[in-house]
Protein backbone atom coordinates (compact mmCIF):
# COMPACT_ATOMS: atom_id res chain seq x y z
CA UNK A 1 0.00 0.00 0.00
CA UNK A 2 2.97 2.34 0.40
CA UNK A 3 3.14 2.40 -3.40
CA UNK A 4 -0.42 3.73 -3.39
CA UNK A 5 0.60 6.57 -1.04
CA UNK A 6 3.57 7.45 -3.24
CA UNK A 7 1.33 7.40 -6.32
CA UNK A 8 -1.33 9.56 -4.64
CA UNK A 9 1.35 12.03 -3.49
CA UNK A 10 2.61 12.32 -7.08
CA UNK A 11 -0.92 12.73 -8.48
CA UNK A 12 -1.76 15.33 -5.80
CA UNK A 13 1.36 17.33 -6.69
CA UNK A 14 0.44 17.26 -10.38
CA UNK A 15 -3.19 18.23 -9.74
CA UNK A 16 -1.97 21.08 -7.49
CA UNK A 17 -0.02 22.27 -10.55
CA UNK A 18 -3.25 22.36 -12.58
CA UNK A 19 -4.94 24.40 -9.79
CA UNK A 20 -2.01 26.84 -9.63
CA UNK A 21 -2.12 27.29 -13.40
CA UNK A 22 -5.86 28.02 -13.14
CA UNK A 23 -5.18 30.58 -10.37
CA UNK A 24 -2.70 32.37 -12.65
CA UNK A 25 -5.15 32.28 -15.57
CA UNK A 26 -7.93 33.70 -13.38
CA UNK A 27 -5.63 36.43 -12.05
CA UNK A 28 -5.14 37.64 -15.62
CA UNK A 29 -8.89 38.04 -16.17
CA UNK A 30 -9.89 41.61 -15.54
CA UNK A 31 -12.86 41.81 -13.22
CA UNK A 32 -13.22 45.60 -13.04
CA UNK A 33 -10.99 45.81 -9.98
CA UNK A 34 -7.31 46.71 -10.13
CA UNK A 35 -4.86 43.91 -9.41
CA UNK A 36 -1.10 43.72 -10.04
CA UNK A 37 -1.66 40.19 -11.39
CA UNK A 38 -3.53 41.73 -14.32
CA UNK A 39 -0.24 43.02 -15.78
CA UNK A 40 1.91 39.98 -14.95
CA UNK A 41 1.50 38.33 -18.38
CA UNK A 42 2.55 41.56 -20.17
CA UNK A 43 5.91 41.28 -21.93
CA UNK A 44 7.94 44.36 -22.90
CA UNK A 45 10.30 44.73 -25.86
CA UNK A 46 13.48 45.76 -24.02
CA UNK A 47 17.21 45.12 -23.98
CA UNK A 48 17.13 43.29 -27.31
CA UNK A 49 14.36 40.85 -26.39
CA UNK A 50 11.03 40.41 -24.66
CA UNK A 51 11.06 40.56 -20.87
CA UNK A 52 8.27 40.38 -18.29
CA UNK A 53 6.93 43.78 -17.21
CA UNK A 54 8.01 43.01 -13.64
CA UNK A 55 11.68 43.10 -14.80
CA UNK A 56 11.51 46.68 -16.04
CA UNK A 57 9.33 48.32 -13.39
CA UNK A 58 7.33 47.87 -10.22
CA UNK A 59 3.56 47.45 -10.29
CA UNK A 60 1.35 49.02 -7.60
CA UNK A 61 -2.35 49.51 -6.94
CA UNK A 62 -2.81 52.92 -5.29
CA UNK A 63 -6.61 52.78 -5.54
CA UNK A 64 -9.36 50.29 -6.46
CA UNK A 65 -9.56 51.26 -10.13
CA UNK A 66 -5.97 52.28 -10.90
CA UNK A 67 -2.72 50.40 -11.47
CA UNK A 68 0.59 52.22 -11.63
CA UNK A 69 3.86 51.02 -13.12
CA UNK A 70 7.03 52.77 -11.97
CA UNK A 71 9.44 52.17 -14.87
CA UNK A 72 13.04 51.99 -13.68
CA UNK A 73 14.68 53.01 -16.99
CA UNK A 74 13.30 56.23 -18.55
CA UNK A 75 14.16 54.91 -22.06
CA UNK A 76 11.65 52.06 -21.67
CA UNK A 77 8.57 54.15 -20.73
CA UNK A 78 7.24 54.13 -24.32
CA UNK A 79 7.88 50.41 -24.75
CA UNK A 80 6.06 49.61 -21.48
CA UNK A 81 3.10 51.80 -22.47
CA UNK A 82 2.93 50.10 -25.88
CA UNK A 83 3.18 46.61 -24.32
CA UNK A 84 0.28 47.31 -21.93
CA UNK A 85 -1.86 48.80 -24.71
CA UNK A 86 -1.12 45.87 -27.09
CA UNK A 87 -1.63 43.11 -24.48
CA UNK A 88 -5.30 42.73 -25.40
CA UNK A 89 -6.51 43.67 -21.91
CA UNK A 90 -8.55 46.66 -23.06
CA UNK A 91 -6.40 49.05 -21.02
CA UNK A 92 -5.23 52.53 -22.02
CA UNK A 93 -2.08 53.55 -20.10
CA UNK A 94 -0.87 57.14 -19.76
CA UNK A 95 2.66 58.11 -18.73
CA UNK A 96 3.64 60.84 -16.32
CA UNK A 97 7.44 60.87 -16.44
CA UNK A 98 8.58 57.40 -15.41
CA UNK A 99 5.23 56.59 -13.78
CA UNK A 100 2.61 54.98 -15.99
CA UNK A 101 -0.99 55.19 -14.80
CA UNK A 102 -3.36 52.47 -16.00
CA UNK A 103 -7.01 53.28 -15.20
CA UNK A 104 -9.28 50.22 -15.01
CA UNK A 105 -12.48 51.06 -16.88
CA UNK A 106 -15.92 49.82 -15.82
CA UNK A 107 -16.75 46.55 -17.51
CA UNK A 108 -19.62 46.47 -19.97
CA UNK A 109 -22.22 43.70 -19.68
CA UNK A 110 -20.93 42.20 -22.93
CA UNK A 111 -17.33 42.19 -21.66
CA UNK A 112 -18.44 40.57 -18.38
CA UNK A 113 -20.11 37.82 -20.42
CA UNK A 114 -16.92 37.29 -22.47
CA UNK A 115 -14.82 37.13 -19.28
CA UNK A 116 -17.20 34.59 -17.73
CA UNK A 117 -16.87 32.42 -20.86
CA UNK A 118 -13.08 32.71 -20.74
CA UNK A 119 -13.09 31.74 -17.05
CA UNK A 120 -15.22 28.68 -17.89
CA UNK A 121 -12.75 27.71 -20.66
CA UNK A 122 -9.81 28.01 -18.23
CA UNK A 123 -11.67 25.90 -15.66
CA UNK A 124 -12.47 23.24 -18.26
CA UNK A 125 -8.78 23.14 -19.22
CA UNK A 126 -7.86 22.58 -15.57
CA UNK A 127 -10.44 19.77 -15.30
CA UNK A 128 -9.02 18.14 -18.43
CA UNK A 129 -5.54 18.36 -16.89
CA UNK A 130 -6.80 16.76 -13.65
CA UNK A 131 -8.48 13.97 -15.62
CA UNK A 132 -5.26 13.41 -17.54
CA UNK A 133 -3.44 12.99 -14.24
CA UNK A 134 -6.16 10.55 -13.14
CA UNK A 135 -5.71 8.54 -16.36
CA UNK A 136 -1.95 8.33 -15.74
CA UNK A 137 -2.62 7.10 -12.20
CA UNK A 138 -5.07 4.45 -13.42
CA UNK A 139 -2.56 3.33 -16.07
CA UNK A 140 0.14 2.96 -13.41
CA UNK A 141 -2.19 0.88 -11.23
CA UNK A 142 -2.94 -1.41 -14.18
CA UNK A 143 0.77 -1.66 -14.97
CA UNK A 144 1.45 -2.78 -11.38
CA UNK A 145 -1.27 -5.42 -11.76
CA UNK A 146 0.19 -6.58 -15.07
CA UNK A 147 3.58 -7.08 -13.41
CA UNK A 148 1.76 -9.02 -10.68
CA UNK A 149 2.92 -6.53 -8.05
CA UNK A 150 -0.65 -5.91 -6.87
CA UNK A 151 -3.89 -7.92 -6.99
CA UNK A 152 -7.14 -7.08 -8.80
CA UNK A 153 -8.64 -6.08 -5.45
CA UNK A 154 -5.75 -3.66 -4.92
CA UNK A 155 -6.33 -2.19 -8.39
CA UNK A 156 -9.95 -1.55 -7.41
CA UNK A 157 -8.83 0.09 -4.13
CA UNK A 158 -6.25 2.21 -5.96
CA UNK A 159 -8.74 3.21 -8.66
CA UNK A 160 -11.28 4.27 -6.03
CA UNK A 161 -8.63 6.37 -4.21
CA UNK A 162 -7.50 7.98 -7.47
CA UNK A 163 -11.10 8.76 -8.48
CA UNK A 164 -11.84 10.24 -5.05
CA UNK A 165 -8.76 12.50 -5.35
CA UNK A 166 -9.82 13.57 -8.84
CA UNK A 167 -13.35 14.36 -7.64
CA UNK A 168 -11.90 16.56 -4.86
CA UNK A 169 -9.84 18.54 -7.38
CA UNK A 170 -12.73 18.91 -9.84
CA UNK A 171 -14.83 20.30 -6.97
CA UNK A 172 -12.04 22.76 -6.08
CA UNK A 173 -11.94 23.87 -9.73
CA UNK A 174 -15.73 24.30 -9.78
CA UNK A 175 -15.57 26.34 -6.55
CA UNK A 176 -12.82 28.57 -7.98
CA UNK A 177 -14.88 29.10 -11.13
CA UNK A 178 -17.98 30.02 -9.09
CA UNK A 179 -15.94 32.56 -7.08
CA UNK A 180 -14.43 34.09 -10.23
CA UNK A 181 -17.86 34.19 -11.89
CA UNK A 182 -19.30 36.10 -8.89
CA UNK A 183 -16.33 38.49 -9.00
CA UNK A 184 -16.77 39.12 -12.74
CA UNK A 185 -20.54 39.68 -12.53
CA UNK A 186 -20.30 41.95 -9.50
CA UNK A 187 -21.17 45.50 -10.60
Amino acid sequence: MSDLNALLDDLTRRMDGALESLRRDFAGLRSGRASPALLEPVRVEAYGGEVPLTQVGSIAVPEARMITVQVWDRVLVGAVERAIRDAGLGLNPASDGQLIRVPIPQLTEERRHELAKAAARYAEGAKIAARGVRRDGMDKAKAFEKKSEISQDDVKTWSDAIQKLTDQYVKKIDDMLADKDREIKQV
Side-chain angles (χ1 to χ4, degrees), residues 8-184:
L8 288 177
D9 287 346
D10 179 51
L11 297 179
T12 299
R13 181 186 53 75
R14 291 172 57 196
M15 286 186 192
D16 279 340
L19 274 185
E20 190 51 44
S21 176
L22 180 62
R23 261 188 212 97
R24 279 193 305 274
D25 289 342
F26 278 177
L29 285 179
R30 188 161 66 82
S31 62
R33 250 185 276 138
S35 163
L38 185 59
L39 297 181
E40 280 179 13
V42 175
R43 299 187 64 76
V44 179
E45 193 68 42
Y47 310 121
E50 278 197 350
V51 297
L53 178 61
T54 54
Q55 289 185 8
V56 296
S58 55
I59 303 169
V61 180
E63 54 191 75
R65 303 184 60 73
M66 176 74 67
I67 300 175
T68 59
V69 180
Q70 181 66 49
V71 182
W72 298 319
D73 187 346
R74 183 177 295 278
V75 177
L76 296 176
V77 171
V80 171
E81 246 187 297
R82 220 174 3 268
I84 293 170
R85 194 171 287 116
D86 297 344
L89 298 169
L91 300 174
N92 193 18
S95 63
D96 180 11
Q98 283 180 249
L99 183 72
I100 297 175
R101 296 180 199 287
V102 186
I104 307 297
Q106 253 323 351
L107 291 177
T108 63
E109 194 57 41
E110 182 182 324
R111 183 69 178 139
R112 286 179 197 281
H113 192 67
E114 287 173 24
L115 290 173
K117 278 185 181 177
R121 276 195 309 274
Y122 289 149
E124 189 55 37
K127 286 181 186 178
I128 290 169
R131 291 181 192 125
V133 172
R134 175 190 63 194
R135 186 182 55 247
D136 290 349
M138 298 290 196
D139 289 348
K140 285 182 181 172
K142 288 180 181 130
F144 278 126
E145 180 191 21
K146 216 173 235 176
K147 291 188 233 169
S148 300
E149 292 180 24
I150 62 173
S151 68
Q152 279 186 331
D153 288 344
D154 286 342
V155 170
K156 174 78 173 112
T157 303
W158 285 34
S159 295
D160 290 347
I162 292 167
Q163 184 60 50
K164 185 178 175 191
L165 179 70
T166 305
D167 291 344
Q168 289 170 352
Y169 275 86
V170 167
K171 182 175 178 358
K172 286 179 186 179
I173 291 167
D174 286 339
D175 291 346
M176 287 172 65
L177 176 60
D179 289 346
K180 190 62 179 182
D181 218 33
R182 266 192 302 281
E183 182 183 319
I184 288 169

